[in-house]
């Protein structure tokens, strides 16, 4: 079984450079629509060429994720299945929906830790603020449960999952721990550019991340 995992396409939230969302109802931008059409076409070509079975497109329960999923699902004549469990990690009111510049004025320590995290040298388990779900492992458990639920559908040999950056991070780290020796006591930055995809292959209790944060045309090589 293969998984194609991607972050939602560009939304209004991304143009505002907000950290997290306070409503989860941001629409896709014109650039986002172009991004998802490109992804949808590449997936459609792959599914047609390989005769892969796709019944559903799974996604986080937000407008930007659902809109991304709907375009792909329409191309494949599939159904969308939203999950609230794939939403971003919850943040407090001091941070939610605000830009990084705004947050820096009230919580510079968090921004410093965020910068180190993005540079790949900070363990998210060590955040001093707003990351209780991460530090306790509860968010990872939540994502793992959703992934297990998605895997329960045996009538598909290709799963397409649209996530937010934080849920994609938790998912890829989980697969990297299973298949690539990622350390159990570290939770690092996973790059997830808008319009790029991850491809994961699952075989029984093992997995292999075939492609990471690649343009969707990478599917032509599979």
């Amino acid at each position: 079984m293969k998984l194609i995992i991607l972050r939602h396409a560009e939304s209004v939230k991304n143009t505002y450079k907000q950290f997290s969302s306070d409503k989860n109802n941001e629409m896709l931008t014109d650039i986002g629509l172009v991004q998802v059409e490109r992804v949808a076409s590449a997936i459609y070509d792959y599914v047609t060429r390989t005769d892969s079975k796709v019944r559903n497109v799974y996604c986080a329960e937000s407008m930007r994720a659902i809109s991304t999923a709907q375009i792909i699902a329409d191309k494949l004549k599939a159904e969308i299945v939203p999950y609230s469990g794939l939403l971003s990690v919850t943040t407090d009111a001091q941070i939610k929906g605000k830009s990084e510049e705004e947050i820096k004025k009230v919580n510079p320590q968090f921004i410093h830790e965020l910068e180190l995290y993005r540079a790949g040298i900070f363990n998210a388990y060590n955040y001093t603020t707003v990351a209780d779900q991460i530090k306790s492992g509860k968010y990872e458990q939540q994502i793992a449960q959703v992934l297990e639920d998605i895997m329960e559908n045996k009538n598909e040999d290709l799963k397409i999952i649209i996530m937010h950056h934080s849920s994609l991070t938790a998912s890829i780290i989980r697969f990297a721990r299973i298949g690539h020796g990622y350390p159990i006591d570290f939770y690092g930055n996973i790059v997830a550019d808008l319009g790029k995809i991850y491809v994961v292959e699952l075989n029984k209790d093992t997995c292999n991340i075939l492609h990471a944060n690649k343009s969707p045309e990478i599917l032509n090589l599979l």
Side-chain angles (χ1 to χ4, degrees), residues 1-150:
M1 177 186 294
K2 287 188 175 64
L3 281 65
I4 297 174
I5 301 174
L6 62 145
R7 189 180 173 189
H8 58 78
E10 183 187 82
S11 71
V12 172
K13 169 193 172 294
N14 303 111
T15 64
Y16 292 158
K17 296 183 179 180
Q18 291 175 320
F19 187 82
S20 188
S21 170
D22 55 350
K23 295 186 176 73
N24 278 321
N25 65 354
E26 297 89 353
M27 298 177 63
L28 298 183
T29 64
D30 290 342
I31 291 174
L33 291 172
V34 171
Q35 289 172 341
V36 70
E37 287 287 355
R38 182 180 175 187
V39 173
S41 294
I43 293 176
Y44 175 81
D45 291 345
Y46 173 78
V47 168
T48 302
R49 175 167 52 85
T50 61
D51 196 29
S52 298
K53 297 182 181 65
V54 179
R55 300 288 183 266
N56 303 303
V57 176
Y58 306 92
C59 64
E61 202 174 57
S62 67
M63 181 180 292
R64 56 194 185 277
I66 290 173
S67 298
T68 300
Q70 190 65 66
I71 293 170
I72 297 172
D74 288 348
K75 191 86 171 176
L76 300 175
K77 295 181 171 55
E79 300 293 326
I80 65 167
V81 180
Y83 280 90
S84 61
L86 291 178
L87 289 171
S88 297
V89 67
T90 302
T91 55
D92 65 19
Q94 190 183 59
I95 287 175
K96 199 169 188 179
K98 293 181 173 61
S99 71
E100 291 182 25
E101 284 302 312
E102 290 172 322
I103 298 167
K104 192 171 186 177
K105 295 175 183 177
V106 296
N107 195 337
Q109 178 65 22
F110 173 75
I111 294 299
H112 175 64
E113 292 171 349
L114 180 65
E115 289 171 351
L116 294 178
Y117 170 76
R118 287 172 173 168
I121 55 176
F122 186 82
N123 188 349
Y125 290 142
N126 294 332
Y127 269 114
T128 55
T129 58
V130 307
D132 288 342
Q133 287 176 293
I134 296 293
K135 289 193 288 187
S136 67
K138 288 181 180 178
Y139 189 68
E140 292 174 82
Q141 294 167 15
Q142 172 184 312
I143 298 302
Q145 184 58 56
V146 173
L147 290 172
E148 288 178 12
D149 189 71
I150 290 173

Side-chain angles (χ1 to χ4, degrees), residues 170-190:
S171 299
I172 296 304
I173 285 177
R174 174 176 172 78
F175 292 130
R177 283 182 177 144
I178 296 171
H180 299 278
Y182 192 95
I184 196 70
D185 57 352
F186 189 80
Y187 194 92
N189 181 45
I190 299 295

Side-chain angles (χ1 to χ4, degrees), residues 180-211:
H180 299 278
Y182 192 95
I184 196 70
D185 57 352
F186 189 80
Y187 194 92
N189 181 45
I190 299 295
V191 179
D193 295 327
L194 301 167
K196 301 293 182 66
I197 66 172
Y198 279 78
V199 182
V200 179
E201 186 172 51
L202 300 178
N203 293 303
K204 296 183 179 179
D205 296 327
T206 64
C207 73
N208 185 19
I209 300 173
L210 301 178
H211 296 290

